[in-house]
Amino acid sequence: MAVSRRETLHAAWRERIGPVWKSRLATGGGAVLVGLFAYGFAWAADHAQLAFGRLATGWPYAPLVITPIGFLLLAWLTQRYAPLAKGSGIPQVIAAARDSSQARPLVSMRTALFKLVATLLAMMVGGSVGREGPTVQVGAAIMAASHRLLRIPVNGAVIIAGGAAGVAAAFNTPIAGVAFALEELAAAYEQRLTLLVMAAVVIAGLVPLSLSGDYIYFGVVSETMSAFHALPIALLVGIVGGAAGGVFSRISLKLLSRDSILARKPLTTALVCGLTVAVVGVAAHGLTWGTGYDAARTLVEGGRQPIWFAPAKFIATLASSLSGAPGGVFAPSLSVGAGLGGLMANIFPEESRSAIVLIGMIAYFVGVVRAPLTAVVIISEMTANRGMILPLFAAAVVADVAAKAVSGRRLYHGLADNLTAAQTEAAARDGADKEKAPGVVPGA
């Protein structure tokens, strides 16, 4: 039977336009789900921290038992059931975006669900962890799953878009989501990546906005400083904060390498790290538990914290990161940076404490993640402060140079390299085992 011209044109339209709309549906639907997840995860994380806070208030020494045992159990469960869920989650997304053919286990829904539960449990036992890194990994998993559901190929751009949507929804900072995708997650700029990221970030950012209102993460901070006074402070704080963040990265990369003693004794490591977090938390009267959001907000608003807050939070965050339990370092790093800024504000008593705290936040954060553009955008969006852009940029650039002098490798990318090497070794072992299997002819 002859095919009419109308049927031919209709078939051609379906062949060309159909995949485009399926891709848009997968991106839009995935972004909505990421936004809903981020909103629910933030609510659950807040309540998990409150629950532990009430426990520690009622029984001040209970964390000395609960936290080490909790870290031990989380490390054991993670190692046994979801080894790719440990740590921040951002290195997993970077590794998955580099090689999308090997991405499925890194951003699978099974890993994502485990990550969600385990991060909440880490907060419930007092871990100095954040929810933003896990939100990035779960966001990438949700975006990849929505594309697989509609039979759309999952490539690096899809994974990066999901991760960027996670950043935007977690902090209510859409511009920072785009900046983070292009600066930290993506290896190269391409048009397809940009369109996917823009669409995913805008949609995911609108979902929490519609549910919880137009909130500013750290509240509106209107404090500013003149460039004449701010730039010397930005230089000094940038050097100190960047170097401190570089120390965190250097220690983390050294001790989280696959041949380190911590890797050979993961459960002992988890127990020791949990005990360290517990002792520091009890000694600090609970200031180092969880993300450190409340302590940081107090500093951002011009309040004060004890002079030992920054180093105590540094130790608690480092121990939590080394433990092998799931949890991010994004928010805890901002908290450490705020403490550092508050500490250095004492050197400049005539200047605005809030402004110096913001400079300290950005300096230490850049030192850890080595993403200066993202840091400037995210701090500006989280405080609705536009008047500090110049000193923040100056501090970010100086901090990046200082951090590079201390630790040549970027934290997330170094950890992603470890994951990639581990996957390559695992694939090689699987291939060797198949060749040795009965009935298999090597080289066939």
Side-chain angles (χ1 to χ4, degrees), residues 106-204:
L106 290 165
V107 291
S108 70
M109 286 306 301
R110 178 177 179 273
T111 299
L113 290 174
F114 184 95
K115 185 91 168 189
L116 164 65
V117 175
T119 301
L120 294 176
L121 290 174
M123 291 180 172
M124 291 185 71
V125 299
S128 179
V129 298
R131 58 179 169 83
E132 294 74 25
T135 303
V136 171
Q137 186 176 8
V138 178
I142 292 173
M143 189 65 73
S146 69
H147 280 70
R148 293 191 189 102
L149 183 64
L150 294 177
R151 298 181 180 179
I152 303 295
V154 176
N155 54 27
V158 169
I159 294 167
I160 291 170
V167 171
F171 283 119
N172 192 29
T173 53
I175 300 176
V178 176
F180 188 70
L182 298 179
E183 187 175 29
E184 186 69 9
L185 298 180
Y189 177 89
E190 55 177 271
Q191 184 181 18
R192 175 174 170 77
L193 168 63
T194 306
L195 294 174
L196 274 172
V197 167
M198 291 290 187
V201 162
V202 170
I203 295 170

Side-chain angles (χ1 to χ4, degrees), residues 5-49:
R5 177 177 177 80
R6 181 178 179 181
E7 290 175 334
T8 302
L9 291 174
H10 184 61
W13 182 86
R14 283 187 302 174
E15 183 178 347
R16 296 187 61 185
I17 305 300
V20 174
W21 282 104
K22 283 175 65 177
S23 178
R24 290 176 179 174
L25 179 61
T27 300
V32 169
L33 292 175
V34 172
L36 289 171
F37 158 76
Y39 176 79
F41 191 31
W43 179 88
D46 288 343
H47 282 76
Q49 292 185 102

Side-chain angles (χ1 to χ4, degrees), residues 12 38 47 61-62 67 87 93 117 119 140 156 165 192 242 272 279 283 293 314 317 321 390 414 418 422 427-428:
H47 282 76
Y61 297 105
T67 303
V93 175
V117 175
T119 301
R192 175 174 170 77
V272 172
V279 170
Y293 166 79
F314 177 97
T317 303
S321 177
L390 180 59
N418 292 341

